[in-house]
Amino acid sequence: GESVGLHLPTLSVQEGDNSIINCAYSNSASDYFIWYKQESGKGPQFIIDIRSNMDKRQGQRVTVLLNKTVKHLSLQIAATQPGDSAVYFCAEMVWGKLQFGAGTQVVVTP
Amino acid sequence: DAGVTQSPTHLIKTRGQHVTLRCSPISGHKSVSWYQQVLGQGPQFIFQYYEKEERGRGNFPDRFSARQFPNYSSELNVNALLLGDSALYLCASSLTGTVNEKLFFGSGTQLSVL
């Protein structure tokens, strides 16, 4: 029979365009946040992190923005490539344990 | 350098059986954490170990247990398996397991309970 499961939010983006993935976190006391990329059949891969004393951090083609006022995190990917197709998770560190969001499926179209 | 390695990669069990999953951390990392990832969801924290001591435990029943060995490798044991235990089990390692430290994940063990 057909399996029923949660359907991840999906972001469809054209190759070469910029992607923005949003995440709301729950704990106002969280002071460390990480974005992970997970490809099918693999474990989460670290992309970029940010501490609460910052509101922006840049890596190679990626930028993370943190808005503590509204407890919102975003990941921007510049010039999205086919290899960026994956599920992206934001995670907050709560008492030494990572608490993951639900994830966003990014699909890069040619 | 090898990353976090987990074995086996796939496993099929039946209800009521028990299972042991294994993890070797990145060389030099002393802390290991275990996460359960059900299809379509983010990983959920199960355990953290550092220097063979349990440092944290998530909201999982006592059927779940783990240990860490002197070489910092770790085992996750699940007894009396239920259908709902079917998931990807992820191991992550970090240097000391302190707060606000990067976690590096392995590729996981896909457990199917029939």
Side-chain angles (χ1 to χ4, degrees):
Chain A
E2 182 178 316
S3 65
V4 177
L6 289 177
H7 293 279
L8 291 171
T10 299
L11 174 67
S12 185
V13 60
Q14 201 157 11
E15 183 179 352
D17 287 352
N18 297 334
S19 304
I20 299 177
I21 307 165
N22 296 302
C23 174
Y25 64 92
S26 58
N27 194 325
S28 56
S30 298
D31 59 359
Y32 181 52
F33 305 87
I34 309 174
W35 279 99
Y36 284 93
K37 171 186 179 183
Q38 188 172 25
E39 297 172 283
S40 181
K42 297 184 178 179
Q45 176 188 354
F46 174 90
I47 302 173
I48 191 167
D49 58 358
I50 188 167
R51 301 188 190 279
S52 60
N53 61 352
M54 304 173 70
D55 52 22
K56 180 179 179 179
R57 189 157 189 236
Q58 288 183 295
Q60 187 176 11
R61 281 202 308 119
V62 293
T63 300
V64 55
L65 299 177
L66 174 62
N67 185 331
K68 295 179 286 294
T69 304
V70 294
K71 292 191 284 186
H72 182 269
L73 202 62
S74 69
L75 178 71
Q76 300 176 2
I77 305 173
T80 311
Q81 303 169 358
D84 295 327
S85 292
V87 177
Y88 289 80
F89 292 98
C90 67
E92 58 182 309
M93 186 70 79
V94 181
W95 302 112
K97 308 168 191 60
L98 274 181
Q99 193 165 296
F100 284 79
T104 297
Q105 175 86 54
V106 172
V107 176
V108 181
T109 57
Chain B
D1 281 345
V4 178
T5 57
Q6 293 186 242
S7 64
T9 55
H10 295 81
L11 202 51
I12 299 175
K13 292 285 189 178
T14 56
R15 282 180 296 176
Q17 287 187 312
H18 72 272
V19 68
T20 298
L21 310 180
R22 296 178 175 81
C23 170
S24 292
I26 292 171
S27 178
H29 285 195
K30 298 184 178 180
S31 178
V32 169
S33 299
W34 287 94
Y35 287 77
Q36 180 197 63
Q37 187 176 23
V38 173
L39 187 65
Q41 298 181 26
Q44 298 291 314
F45 173 78
I46 311 175
F47 287 111
Q48 184 191 25
Y49 275 79
Y50 173 71
E51 292 282 8
K52 298 180 291 180
E53 298 290 326
E54 181 182 302
R55 258 201 184 162
R57 183 184 183 115
N59 188 24
F60 280 81
D62 291 343
R63 299 184 295 107
F64 288 76
S65 63
R67 53 180 177 166
Q68 186 177 32
F69 299 99
N71 67 353
Y72 305 111
S73 67
S74 177
E75 283 182 356
L76 175 70
N77 294 283
V78 187
N79 293 325
L81 285 166
L82 303 173
L83 295 180
D85 295 330
S86 295
L88 179 67
Y89 288 84
L90 295 162
C91 174
S93 77
S94 61
L95 278 169
T96 63
T98 53
V99 176
N100 301 352
E101 188 175 61
K102 289 180 190 177
L103 286 185
F104 296 88
F105 285 85
S107 292
T109 294
Q110 184 66 56
L111 172 65
S112 297
V113 182
L114 306 179

